[in-house]
Amino acid sequence: MSRPASSFEVLPGADDSPVILHVPHSAREVPAAVRAGIVLDDAALERELDHITDAHTAELAERAAALCGLVPWRFVNRLSRLVVDPERFPDEREEMLSVGMGAVYTRTTHRAELRPADTDPEPLIERYFRPYARAMTEAVADRLAATGRAVVIDVHSYPTEALPYELHGSGRRPPVCLGTDAFHTPPELTALARQAFAGCGETGLDSPFSGTYVPLEFYGREPRVGALMIEIRRDTYMTEPGGPPGPGLSRLASALAALVDGVTR
């Protein structure tokens, strides 16, 4: 089954930029064929999309890219994570399977039924997850070939109050959370991020969300691939749960641009 052309987009940056701004959870689109497998009525689905979508993060990355001295590349998911979540493991390694939120979700943010528990995830993984993973692997390999390194900056947001699905929701929820990986996040990258986001409020580390996204081909193997996850608390830039952005978005875009410029300097 072929991949719809609109399921993700790779937006080129400067030839000599090593940075990829990865935006996996910003979209709300659910194709009709996928919608048919979701048990929520239309109103409940809209509420779920309000909670689960990292609203306006694609716009944040776009604004930041326009401010950078050396334009980064952008890899943007154009479909909702309710189709597939490209940042989950597609197998039993994924801890979020315990709450029905592996690569293909069967439960909602409030642990209600989203799809029948016996849903076979494989058709969605084959149609959407694997092409996305291959394309992201190619994007990182391209930056390595062009510049000798690649830096994946994952752009996310999270709600002010923990949602029931969160496995580690009891931790601190600072305005900006930096997710790190022991192998792929060097201390200097974390320091650059702390400096860049200093004007956006407190910057925490690995709470309430931790880790980074690196394509599995490079994960734990290729030290030239750096990675950092930026998690932004939603009340700092938008009306929750799914409302419009506010003036905080411009401040955050400037901070993200400063981080990218620090990496490429």
Side-chain angles (χ1 to χ4, degrees):
M1 192 177 294
S2 64
R3 173 185 64 80
S6 61
S7 64
F8 58 82
E9 192 171 7
V10 183
L11 297 154
D15 289 342
D16 50 347
S17 173
V19 177
I20 300 171
L21 295 179
H22 182 218
V23 188
H25 295 158
S26 66
R28 296 174 67 98
E29 182 181 347
V30 179
V34 180
R35 171 69 180 95
I38 292 174
V39 304
L40 303 179
D41 64 29
D42 288 347
L45 178 57
E46 286 302 307
R47 288 194 298 272
E48 179 61 16
L49 286 167
D50 285 345
H51 289 299
I52 199 65
T53 303
D54 291 352
H56 316 299
T57 50
E59 181 182 352
L60 171 60
E62 181 179 9
R63 288 195 191 188
L67 295 171
C68 291
L70 193 63
V71 178
W73 292 61
R74 285 179 287 143
F75 193 110
V76 183
N77 189 5
R78 296 305 186 189
L79 297 182
S80 169
R81 64 197 290 192
L82 297 185
V83 179
V84 295
D85 191 330
E87 295 207 315
R88 302 283 200 242
F89 288 112
D91 52 36
E92 66 283 348
R93 290 173 292 178
E94 180 51 59
E95 69 167 353
M96 295 301 291
L97 281 171
S98 65
V99 291
M101 298 180 86
V104 175
Y105 298 175
T106 58
R107 310 297 286 187
T108 71
T109 52
H110 289 74
R111 303 203 181 196
E113 184 181 37
L114 180 75
R115 292 182 175 92
D118 62 354
T119 296
D120 179 7
E122 184 56 31
L124 290 176
I125 288 174
E126 178 62 26
R127 184 172 188 179
Y128 297 106
F129 184 97
R130 292 195 179 99
Y132 190 107
R134 285 195 294 268
M136 189 64 185
T137 300
E138 290 167 4
V140 171
D142 182 68
R143 294 299 85 211
L144 283 173
T147 74
R149 61 183 178 128
V151 181
V152 179
I153 299 176
D154 234 12
V155 185
H156 291 264
S157 71
Y158 71 97
T160 303
E161 300 295 330
L163 292 168
Y165 84 94
E166 294 182 27
L167 293 180
H168 310 291
S170 61
R172 294 171 60 253
R173 304 178 81 82
V176 179
C177 163
L178 305 178
T180 67
D181 177 84
F183 186 88
H184 290 283
T185 313
E188 54 269 26
L189 180 55
T190 305
L192 281 171
R194 286 190 183 278
Q195 181 180 6
F197 285 93
C200 300
E202 181 188 2
T203 301
L205 203 63
D206 291 315
S207 175
F209 298 98
S210 62
T212 63
Y213 176 79
V214 175
L216 289 176
E217 181 174 319
F218 305 109
Y219 185 68
R221 304 176 186 179
E222 177 52 84
R224 295 180 300 159
V225 177
L228 181 72
M229 179 171 66
I230 308 294
E231 288 271 5
I232 300 160
R233 203 177 65 205
R234 291 176 188 159
D235 66 332
T236 65
Y237 75 93
M238 64 173 284
T239 302
E240 296 182 85
L249 195 67
S250 294
R251 180 172 64 251
L252 288 160
S254 294
L256 183 56
L259 170 59
V260 174
D261 284 342
V263 169
T264 56
R265 190 170 293 130

